[in-house]
Amino acid sequence: MKRRHFLNTTVALVGLMVAGPALADSMADAKAVVEKYATKVDKWDGPTTGPKAADAKKIVVVAADMKNGGILGVANAVQEAATAIGWTVTVLDSAGSVEGRTAAFGQALTLKPDGIIIAGFDAVEQKPSMEEAKKANIPMVSWHAASAVGPVPDVGVFANVTTDAMEVSKSAADYAYADASGKPGVIIFTDSTYQIAIAKADRMKQEIEKLGGTVLEYVDTPIAETSQRMPQLTTTLLQKYGQKWTHSLAINDIYFDFMGPSLAAAGIAGDGAPKSVAAGDGSEGAYQRIRAKQYQSVTVAEPLNLQGWQLVDELNRAFAGQQWSGYVSPLHVVTTDNVEFDGGPKNTFDPDNGYRDAYKKIWGK
């Protein structure tokens, strides 16, 4: 398939000659990363063998916060996949607080499930409850419970499902660099409550500075409080940095759910600077903003539905006493130019690679 070019920004040859070969090389590298992940995902590269479906399992999903579009998408996908494999699912919403997660995990244990899925919070945070689950021989899999993909043996997680978080962060930073013609002034938004959020934000900062861009500020503000904090925080940062602020980089889309009114009030057009670039997760709201060119330029989306199916498959492997699949799900740089494929019309990154049929074939369904 011939690769399309999705970056609208270009750098004039004379500009590159004046700036020198280092800028030219950095720009070419950044564009190559973005273009690599902006193409269609139409080939299944996941597992093709595995255990047949375990019978009639009862699963509990402990969700960090169902207001978060990524967590909501994964939870819905787990229910879809569970229906296909013949299991029942209960979703417990922790409503965005540590106390809520502790209570939800306790409730999950009282339900005596066959398996537990942790969605959207660090596994180490709930280590006492997870120790109880291990003692009860309840297999656990997770989504975004650690910065790495695969087993987290210290806390008993059979497999942590995610894209390559560092590659997600790098591609978001590379987009901002190229879009700003090599001179980005970025503000990074993260939440130190989560290990993966700090790892992603640190990676974006590292990439921007390595390329020669400027990190104006590194903002640590809780995901659970974005609706209250982001409107005024946006106004304050605009007053502080003005036109130096070319791009916002955030560890997920939810930060941008609440920035638009403040940017509009400052007279900034929907496709004006600062432009918003999210290193995950590809929420419905993000797709809508990108399509409408309203205060978000890019989301580096995860295949939330595919990941829900993978969580069910990994749990099935745990039930069968097998190893995890080893599969790392693909990421996708979503822009206004490619928003309409790979699930785009449904406002989600849902690869057209036949993953549902592939998993059902493995399960014998």
Side-chain angles (χ1 to χ4, degrees):
M1 172 180 158
K2 188 176 180 180
R3 177 175 289 168
R4 290 181 56 201
H5 291 271
F6 296 104
L7 279 176
N8 293 322
T9 54
T10 58
V11 179
L13 177 61
V14 63
L16 290 175
M17 291 172 64
V18 171
L23 176 59
D25 290 346
S26 296
M27 184 65 66
D29 290 347
K31 284 188 174 186
V33 168
V34 174
E35 290 176 3
K36 172 184 176 182
Y37 294 122
T39 52
K40 287 185 177 181
V41 180
D42 54 7
K43 292 181 176 61
W44 175 241
D45 60 351
T48 56
T49 61
K52 298 303 180 186
D55 290 333
K57 296 297 184 180
K58 183 172 68 174
I59 308 304
V60 174
V61 178
V62 182
D65 190 350
M66 292 289 277
K67 295 190 299 295
N68 182 304
I71 295 168
L72 174 63
V74 167
N76 289 341
V78 166
Q79 292 174 307
E80 178 187 279
T83 298
I85 202 172
W87 299 351
T88 59
V89 177
T90 300
V91 178
L92 303 177
D93 184 3
S94 304
S97 70
V98 175
E99 296 80 8
R101 293 191 283 276
T102 301
F105 218 121
Q107 184 181 351
L109 291 170
T110 64
L111 292 172
K112 299 186 184 305
D114 297 302
I116 293 174
I117 297 176
I118 299 157
F121 61 91
D122 286 349
V124 293
E125 177 197 282
Q126 297 297 323
K127 193 168 184 178
S129 295
M130 297 184 74
E131 288 294 336
E132 287 190 49
K134 285 168 64 179
K135 289 177 185 176
N137 293 316
I138 302 172
M140 293 176 285
V141 297
S142 65
W143 180 81
H144 284 208
S147 56
V149 187
V152 191
D154 290 349
V155 287
V157 170
F158 176 76
N160 180 54
V161 172
T162 180
T163 52
D164 183 337
M166 298 304 95
E167 197 69 6
V168 169
S169 301
K170 182 180 186 301
S171 59
D174 286 348
Y175 179 91
Y177 175 80
D179 192 57
S181 299
K183 297 180 180 179
V186 308
I187 295 177
I188 298 172
F189 297 91
T190 191
D191 181 352
S192 60
T193 306
Y194 304 100
Q195 177 187 354
I196 191 170
I198 290 298
K200 288 169 72 173
D202 287 349
R203 183 68 184 90
M204 287 190 283
K205 182 176 186 292
Q206 177 190 45
E207 183 71 4
I208 289 291
E209 292 178 341
K210 183 193 83 171
L211 291 169
T214 301
V215 177
L216 300 172
E217 195 160 328
Y218 186 102
V219 179
D220 181 4
T221 188
I223 289 172
E225 298 175 17
T226 48
S227 60
Q228 302 100 309
R229 291 178 176 238
M230 287 306 294
Q232 183 55 52
L233 181 56
T234 301
T235 299
T236 300
L237 292 169
L238 282 171
Q239 292 170 346
K240 184 175 181 180
Y241 294 108
Q243 293 184 353
K244 292 179 182 177
W245 182 11
T246 68
H247 289 78
S248 303
L249 292 173
I251 53 93
N252 66 19
D253 297 300
I254 198 168
Y255 287 96
F256 304 141
D257 288 352
F258 308 102
M259 288 182 71
S262 297
L263 295 171
I268 295 170
D271 58 353
K275 296 181 179 180
S276 296
V277 179
D281 299 306
S283 69
E284 180 176 350
Y287 268 79
Q288 291 172 339
R289 287 190 292 271
I290 291 167
R291 180 179 290 107
K293 299 182 180 180
Q294 288 297 302
Y295 304 109
Q296 187 163 352
S297 298
V298 167
T299 184
V300 184
E302 298 195 58
L304 303 175
N305 211 75
L306 186 161
Q307 289 174 332
W309 281 69
Q310 184 184 352
L311 286 164
V312 169
D313 182 67
E314 300 295 357
L315 207 47
N316 192 53
R317 291 169 191 270
F319 292 143
Q322 295 193 10
Q323 293 185 327
W324 83 292
S325 71
Y327 180 52
V328 181
S329 52
L331 60 93
H332 188 43
V333 175
V334 181
T335 71
T336 55
D337 293 307
N338 68 358
V339 71
E340 296 303 338
F341 62 64
D342 276 330
K346 293 186 283 189
N347 294 319
T348 186
F349 171 38
D350 195 18
D352 189 18
N353 62 2
Y355 67 87
R356 291 176 177 86
D357 290 338
Y359 279 123
K360 285 190 280 189
K361 185 176 180 181
I362 292 172
W363 302 337
K365 294 294 182 177

